[in-house]
Every structure is written in structure tokens, then in C-alpha cells.
Amino acid sequence: MIPLVLIPGMMCDARLYQPQISAFSHRVPIHTVPVSTHSNMQDLAKDILDNAPPVFALAGLSMGGIIAMEVLRQAPNRIAKLALLDTNPRAEVEEIKKNRQLLMANVQQNGLAEVISNTIPKYFSPTESLSTQKNLKIIELCNAMSQSSGVAAYINQSMALRDRQDQQETLKKLTANVPTLILCGEDDQLCPVERHTLMKSLMPNADLHIIKGVGHLPTLQAPEQTNNALESWLFT
């Protein structure tokens, strides 16, 4: 069985994929990789390649998907399957770059609490309550993952996102014999559906799954639907 490498999103760790690890770890070797050791996408991807199996299935969510695209750019022959979840193939636009600079300055001066508390609501559908038991647990987990990651990780990851290159040409070059899944929440506020329909246009053979009523973290917000899509991608 081809091993599966999971790349977490910004300020996340393996807990982002706990429902998927629970569902699939008895059927496929799973490696979850850290994404905070460098301040640029190229070195983050190189670290993954240096430590990954020779050939592997690769899945990433949000920043994890952006890193996955850089892994693909560097070593396309090592990727047997690709899953891009709630992510963005484009380079960062100037307005977001400027805002990211302000956020980094805030975190360096005041710590993570304010920036993270303002970011987490954007992970959810704008029409849903954040006070449900399920969402409160997800918020608690996101806070825990952020605190575990720490300020240095936030700065490294922010710089890597700010300076990343556009990966649309990388996706265009992906061969049709690499099974590819594009998945997102219909109500993702950070990586909207149009980013995913763009990726589908670049990779016509990819399967596109849009989960209704779900925001930026379908692995946690809709684990059963996410797992169903991943099951088909991994095992067929």
C-alpha cells in the first residue's frame, strides 16, 4: 500500500487530521509532517521530500495544500496521488501581504492570543453558530494547536505564505495518471470555492468535491463526508 503523507495547515498539527488518521491508519501507513521549521516554501517542501517514502500519496489542507504543490513542483515523479483541500494555487496578493506584515508585528509584540482569536471565526461558515458543542470543541482544538505551535512557527509560516510562488503551472503539468482530489467547504471564507474550480480547470481529470454548509476545516467540520471522498481517492 502506498504511504500517505498529510501536511497540516497554518498553526495546525496532526490533530487537524485526527478523524482521517483514525479512519485510515489501519489500512495505510500515514506520516504527518511539521510545517514550521523554515520561513520559505522551498525548504519546507525539501524537508518533506528528504523524510518521506520514495513514492507516496500526498494531501494538504490550506497552507498544507500550498506546501503540497511545492512538493509536487520539486518532485513530481514521487507523487502517486494528490489531494488538495481548502487551499489556493495563486501567489499572495499585495493587499494580503501588507495585512500579513501587520499581523506578524502584532504577534511579535503581543503574542498569539488576539490574532488567533480573530482568525478562528473565519474557519467556519458565516451563517453558522460558533457556540454549538461541536464547534466549541473545534475552536478549543484550534487554540490548542496554535499554542503548541508558538510564535516562531507563526512568523515562519507567515513569511512562507507571503513569499510563495504561483503554482498554477505546476498543476497544469500534473499528469492524468496521478489520481487527484480537490475538496473544499462550500462556505470557506479563506479559500473560496472559486480557487477550487480554478484548480479543476487546470487539472481536468481531478475530482472536485464541494461540501455544503462547511467552512475552511472540513477534516474536522465534516469528517464523514471528507473521509468518504478520501476513501475513494486513496483506495480506488
Side-chain angles (χ1 to χ4, degrees):
M1 179 59 66
I2 296 171
L4 171 61
V5 173
L6 297 173
I7 311 180
M10 185 176 187
M11 302 304 283
C12 294
D13 54 35
R15 288 172 283 184
L16 176 67
Y17 295 111
Q18 191 54 55
Q20 292 70 51
I21 293 169
S22 296
F24 301 127
S25 59
H26 66 292
R27 299 171 64 186
V28 61
I30 296 178
H31 308 261
T32 307
V33 297
V35 292
S36 60
T37 52
H38 299 283
S39 61
N40 65 83
M41 291 293 171
Q42 292 84 357
D43 287 340
L44 287 168
K46 184 178 183 299
D47 263 5
I48 291 170
L49 287 164
D50 287 346
N51 293 283
V55 177
F56 52 95
L58 180 63
L61 187 151
S62 193
M63 180 180 177
I66 294 170
I67 298 171
M69 288 181 253
E70 176 60 22
V71 172
L72 176 67
R73 188 190 69 80
Q74 291 187 23
N77 293 333
R78 292 181 61 186
I79 310 304
K81 298 172 182 270
L82 177 67
L84 300 174
L85 284 59
D86 293 83
T87 192
N88 181 8
R90 296 171 175 154
E92 191 135 276
V93 299
E94 288 303 318
E95 180 182 355
I96 302 298
K97 285 184 180 182
K98 291 176 183 177
N99 186 57
R100 203 176 288 284
Q101 287 297 122
L102 296 174
L103 293 174
M104 284 192 284
N106 189 341
V107 165
Q108 287 175 316
Q109 183 172 351
N110 303 310
L112 289 167
E114 179 185 358
V115 168
I116 297 301
S117 67
N118 289 334
T119 300
I120 286 176
K122 299 174 185 176
Y123 294 161
F124 296 86
S125 170
T127 61
E128 70 178 314
S129 170
L130 301 185
S131 60
T132 65
Q133 184 177 10
K134 177 183 177 181
N135 286 345
L136 287 172
K137 286 183 178 180
I138 294 173
I139 291 169
E140 181 181 8
L141 176 58
C142 288
N143 278 315
M145 290 191 291
S146 295
Q147 290 301 320
S148 296
S149 298
V151 169
Y154 185 91
I155 300 303
N156 275 346
Q157 292 174 346
S158 296
M159 293 173 68
L161 287 167
R162 180 195 65 192
D163 299 334
R164 70 183 187 266
Q165 69 182 72
D166 189 290
Q167 297 286 10
Q168 293 181 69
E169 289 300 319
T170 299
L171 298 185
K172 283 182 184 178
K173 294 175 184 176
L174 185 65
T175 59
N177 64 349
V178 177
T180 300
L181 170 67
I182 303 165
L183 183 145
C184 68
E186 179 185 42
D187 298 330
D188 191 331
Q189 300 185 67
L190 298 178
C191 295
V193 169
E194 62 90 7
R195 308 282 167 82
H196 302 81
T197 55
L198 168 63
M199 289 189 284
K200 171 66 174 174
S201 74
L202 299 171
M203 301 179 291
N205 293 298
D207 291 326
L208 173 62
H209 288 256
I210 301 170
I211 303 178
K212 292 184 179 298
V214 171
H216 188 59
L217 304 177
T219 55
L220 300 173
Q221 294 163 343
E224 184 174 346
Q225 291 163 281
T226 301
N227 286 357
N228 287 341
L230 290 170
E231 166 102 17
S232 178
W233 168 72
L234 271 174
F235 301 113
T236 59

